[in-house]
């Protein structure tokens, strides 16, 4: 088993930052329409718009949960503008395994939620948060 697969299993079994925050600056939740799996993200920013605290909640497959857990670690201390530059490629690189198109949807659910959270924070229209 590769080190990346070990890492995914570890983050699935022991998700990091698996908490909800009270009064976060950014908050949003979304689901994968194919399976209904959900991720909810909470981010508290400091006065420099940098991540101060982060948490997520959700239920889903190993890839979606591990990806969300890894993403919360990646986002620690990032600014909003750095977060906005993240792409599907960054998520693929973070996971380090090859993903089928279906598995890619699982992996990027957390990024979709992050994008929704930022969009909502900036006053944009978003779908109803789950
Ligand atoms: Fe639902 Fe992976 S099977 S997000």
């Amino acid at each position: 088993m590769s080190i990346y697969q070990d890492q995914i299993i570890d983050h699935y079994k022991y998700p990091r930052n698996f908490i909800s925050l009270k009064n976060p600056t950014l908050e949003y939740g979304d689901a994968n329409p194919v399976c209904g799996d959900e991720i909810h993200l909470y981010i508290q920013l400091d006065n420099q718009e940098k991540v101060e605290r982060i948490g997520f909640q959700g239920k889903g497959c190993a890839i979606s949960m591990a990806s969300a857990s890894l993403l919360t670690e990646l986002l620690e201390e990032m600014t909003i503008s750095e977060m906005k530059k993240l792409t599907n490629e960054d998520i693929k690189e973070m996971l380090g395994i090859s993903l089928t198109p279906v598995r890619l949807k699982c992996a990027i659910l957390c990024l979709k939620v992050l994008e929704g959270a930022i969009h909502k924070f900036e006053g944009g229209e978003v779908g109803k948060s789950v």
Side-chain angles (χ1 to χ4, degrees), residues 63-80:
I63 298 284
S64 67
M65 291 296 108
S67 185
S69 172
L70 283 157
L71 181 67
T72 61
E73 289 194 328
L74 187 71
L75 296 182
E76 280 168 2
E77 300 193 11
M78 267 195 191
T79 61
I80 287 260

Side-chain angles (χ1 to χ4, degrees), residues 56-112:
F56 84 100
Q57 297 273 271
K59 58 177 175 61
C61 65
I63 298 284
S64 67
M65 291 296 108
S67 185
S69 172
L70 283 157
L71 181 67
T72 61
E73 289 194 328
L74 187 71
L75 296 182
E76 280 168 2
E77 300 193 11
M78 267 195 191
T79 61
I80 287 260
S81 35
E82 287 167 336
M83 287 189 242
K84 281 162 99 172
K85 291 191 191 127
L86 292 171
T87 64
N88 291 358
E89 288 307 310
D90 294 315
I91 301 295
K92 282 196 216 165
E93 199 178 305
M94 178 184 82
L95 289 168
I97 56 165
S98 62
L99 296 160
T100 62
V102 172
R103 282 325 205 172
L104 179 63
K105 288 252 179 351
C106 304
I108 62 170
L109 177 59
C110 55
L111 182 62
K112 201 174 139 206

Side-chain angles (χ1 to χ4, degrees), residues 5-128:
Q5 284 167 320
D6 285 347
Q7 173 180 254
I8 288 166
I9 292 167
D10 188 60
H11 276 259
Y12 175 56
K13 281 191 181 162
Y14 311 104
R16 317 304 196 266
N17 300 309
F18 196 73
I19 50 164
S20 61
L21 303 184
K22 278 198 181 127
N23 305 315
T25 324
L26 282 79
E27 175 183 7
Y28 191 61
D30 207 347
N32 180 340
V34 180
C35 59
D37 290 347
E38 295 176 6
I39 292 174
H40 204 108
L41 193 60
Y42 309 86
I43 300 174
Q44 182 70 49
L45 297 177
D46 66 14
N47 52 15
Q48 252 109 61
E49 297 207 326
K50 204 180 222 191
V51 174
E52 193 170 56
R53 292 191 70 206
I54 186 161
F56 84 100
Q57 297 273 271
K59 58 177 175 61
C61 65
I63 298 284
S64 67
M65 291 296 108
S67 185
S69 172
L70 283 157
L71 181 67
T72 61
E73 289 194 328
L74 187 71
L75 296 182
E76 280 168 2
E77 300 193 11
M78 267 195 191
T79 61
I80 287 260
S81 35
E82 287 167 336
M83 287 189 242
K84 281 162 99 172
K85 291 191 191 127
L86 292 171
T87 64
N88 291 358
E89 288 307 310
D90 294 315
I91 301 295
K92 282 196 216 165
E93 199 178 305
M94 178 184 82
L95 289 168
I97 56 165
S98 62
L99 296 160
T100 62
V102 172
R103 282 325 205 172
L104 179 63
K105 288 252 179 351
C106 304
I108 62 170
L109 177 59
C110 55
L111 182 62
K112 201 174 139 206
V113 172
L114 174 66
E115 288 166 351
I118 295 171
H119 194 61
K120 184 176 156 193
F121 172 69
E122 294 184 333
E125 286 286 311
V126 284
K128 194 172 175 297

